[in-house]
Amino acid sequence: MEAENQVVVQTQVAEKEKEEDKNTVIDFKMVTFSLADKDYSLDIMHVKEIVKADRFTFVPNTMAFVRGVYNLRGEIIPILDLRLFFGVEVQPKTGKKLENIIILAVDDQKFGVIVDKIDKVVGIQKSSIQPPHPLFGDINIKYIDGVVEANNRLYVLLDITRIFSGKDALENVPRPHPTYTPPERTPVKPAAEAAAPEGKKAPSGLAAKAENLKAAEAPKSDIDDQAYKFAVESLANYKKFYVTSVNESWVRHRFTEWTKAGKSQIQNEADAEEFLSTFWSTCTGKWWTKEFADSVEKILPDNSAKQIIVWNPGCGKGTESYSLACVLARRYPKSKIRVYAQDVDLLTVSNAAMMSIPAELADDWYSSYLTKKANGEYTFNQDIKDSIMFEYHDCKNTNALPMVDIVFARDVVSMLDEASQNTVVADFQEKMKGNGIAIIGENEAMPASFNFGENTVGALVAYNKD
């Protein structure tokens, strides 16, 4: 009798569990796959399709995890090996076995990731996703969105947005240094020049910074300290722009202009963008004008070395790196040029080597560095391409670069918090050769705690070891 009662109870429990399963609301679907025999997953909303392929077009001067590009029905898509990116073991291919590729879309851009095995689509309740823990995978915890158990298997849910766009998908997670690409604009005059009276020649370079410093040292009564402090905090919150001795003279000058123009506080991202609109250096995020290219060439020091090594952190989409490489080739025609172009936006830096070149550049100062393809489009010649190494790297972390002749990091330092600014500038100083120079943003200055000599050409300042 007792055994019969136990069977009845078990049956009732099983039926109850089935009924609960029916009532479970599936509000999150994920595509599951494996890397080195461990289970991973990602939000199905990022997945466009799944394909198998093995023939990729090689792209030179890219990181090892970039396998090349793939023509998917006429659309050229970069292919990244997720196993190599995470540093997990890659089993050798046998025969003509095709690679398993998940085609993803992040920020309206498509790319493919290679994985070991694609499993299935699993539906779960979003509330069942648990916080990430480093013990759940062989990859860095910052790339994990959470862990979830389904069908008696534990899946590590990857944060695809953060991995491939350099942006955090989760709130309250420390953000990596973002590289800001300002909106299209005409070249902006330095702050001191913009404020110069008509008919009077405006100061430039160090003189401009001196003028800005005077504005910064104005009596405190001229600036509402509380309002200024709130503006500083807003810039950090909305644009990850950190006000320190690197840029404070410009920020105080700009804040004075801002308030005199009747502006209220910086209340949203649009306000922050408007406030910073005059901060960005000439041609930042754009192809360089001939005038600016000439000014960069003038400030570069004499150097007869057989190889000129350049560090270009925060390279963004690559316009700065290509432009700089062309100027370097012109300035040092007998030297081999090597530019290490780095950025934290994986997708952007992966696409940089495949950048399409506007036809109008063929009629500009770039013309001698371009070649015309069979389809009529233009690309940089092989010497320029071979001179640039696009890399995924956060300059705040340890960098295994050789000693460099030039650090070219315009408008980058201001996008780091103060502690990171000091770390990165110390790295600049350590890696610069004895005759090396560093060029930062036109409205930036090296932190006061570092000893650098200065040489000025127009709005550009070259810092050297003092």
Side-chain angles (χ1 to χ4, degrees), residues 186-460:
T186 54
V188 176
K189 297 179 181 180
E193 183 177 347
E198 187 177 354
K200 180 180 178 182
K201 185 177 179 180
S204 60
L206 294 180
K209 292 183 179 183
E211 289 294 327
N212 286 344
L213 188 59
K214 289 180 182 178
E217 293 174 347
K220 286 189 176 181
S221 58
D222 291 350
I223 292 181
D224 185 330
D225 285 343
Q226 282 299 110
Y228 176 76
K229 182 179 179 181
F230 183 79
V232 167
E233 292 174 350
S234 297
L235 291 174
N237 290 333
Y238 290 122
K239 300 307 298 181
K240 300 303 176 186
F241 180 96
Y242 296 92
V243 180
T244 66
S245 62
V246 167
N247 49 39
E248 186 173 18
S249 62
W250 179 89
V251 174
R252 283 188 171 274
H253 181 86
R254 175 62 172 149
F255 184 74
T256 300
E257 292 180 332
W258 182 264
T259 52
K260 284 183 178 179
K263 301 285 187 179
S264 59
Q265 276 298 332
I266 300 173
Q267 299 177 349
N268 50 48
E269 187 170 351
D271 285 347
E273 285 191 1
E274 183 182 353
F275 186 95
L276 294 175
S277 62
T278 60
F279 173 80
W280 313 109
S281 301
T282 306
C283 296
T284 294
K286 299 171 61 177
W287 295 107
W288 290 1
T289 62
K290 182 181 184 302
E291 292 73 21
F292 182 69
D294 290 344
S295 66
V296 173
E297 184 178 2
K298 288 178 183 177
I299 205 168
L300 296 177
D302 293 336
N303 195 329
S304 58
K306 292 182 179 180
Q307 185 175 37
I308 305 295
I309 299 176
V310 181
W311 182 15
N312 179 210
C315 66
K317 295 180 179 180
T319 53
E320 186 117 295
S321 306
Y322 284 114
S323 303
L324 179 59
C326 293
V327 171
L328 291 167
R330 190 169 70 183
R331 180 68 174 86
Y332 308 110
K334 296 181 180 180
S335 303
K336 181 180 179 181
I337 307 300
R338 189 59 163 171
V339 179
Y340 291 90
Q342 301 175 339
D343 204 275
V344 293
D345 188 327
L346 175 60
L347 185 56
T348 295
V349 80
S350 298
N351 283 330
M354 302 171 286
M355 177 182 289
S356 55
I357 310 301
E360 56 265 28
L361 293 190
D363 298 322
D364 206 342
W365 70 273
Y366 291 95
S367 59
S368 58
Y369 306 102
L370 300 179
T371 181
K372 195 172 186 178
K373 298 189 292 185
N375 62 1
E377 295 180 353
Y378 287 90
T379 183
F380 283 101
N381 64 39
Q382 202 59 46
D383 287 342
I384 294 298
K385 286 183 176 180
D386 290 344
S387 69
I388 307 173
M389 177 68 173
F390 287 106
E391 301 179 313
Y392 170 75
H393 184 78
D394 188 339
C395 61
K396 293 186 296 186
N397 299 330
T398 303
N399 206 323
L401 287 177
M403 296 293 286
V404 302
D405 297 281
I406 301 167
V407 176
F408 204 85
R410 299 196 306 151
D411 304 335
V412 171
V413 180
S414 293
M415 310 307 290
L416 307 170
D417 60 79
E418 187 168 13
S420 297
Q421 287 179 4
N422 291 326
T423 298
V424 170
V425 172
D427 208 13
F428 289 172
Q429 195 172 55
E430 180 183 345
K431 286 184 168 57
M432 288 166 56
K433 295 179 182 179
N435 61 341
I437 65 167
I439 296 175
I440 57 177
E442 292 170 13
N443 290 307
E444 294 178 318
M446 289 294 189
S449 56
F450 291 85
N451 293 320
F452 283 98
E454 299 176 358
N455 176 40
T456 306
V457 173
L460 289 172

Side-chain angles (χ1 to χ4, degrees), residues 45-84:
M45 297 302 292
H46 288 297
V47 178
K48 306 306 293 182
E49 61 182 292
I50 293 171
V51 299
K52 285 182 176 288
D54 66 346
R55 293 185 179 180
F56 312 118
T57 301
F58 174 71
V59 179
N61 295 328
T62 54
M63 296 297 286
F65 56 78
V66 180
R67 292 286 296 275
V69 295
Y70 178 63
N71 189 330
L72 181 63
R73 297 186 297 277
E75 186 174 7
I76 304 301
I77 298 175
I79 302 296
L80 315 175
D81 195 322
L82 208 56
R83 302 165 300 185
L84 295 177

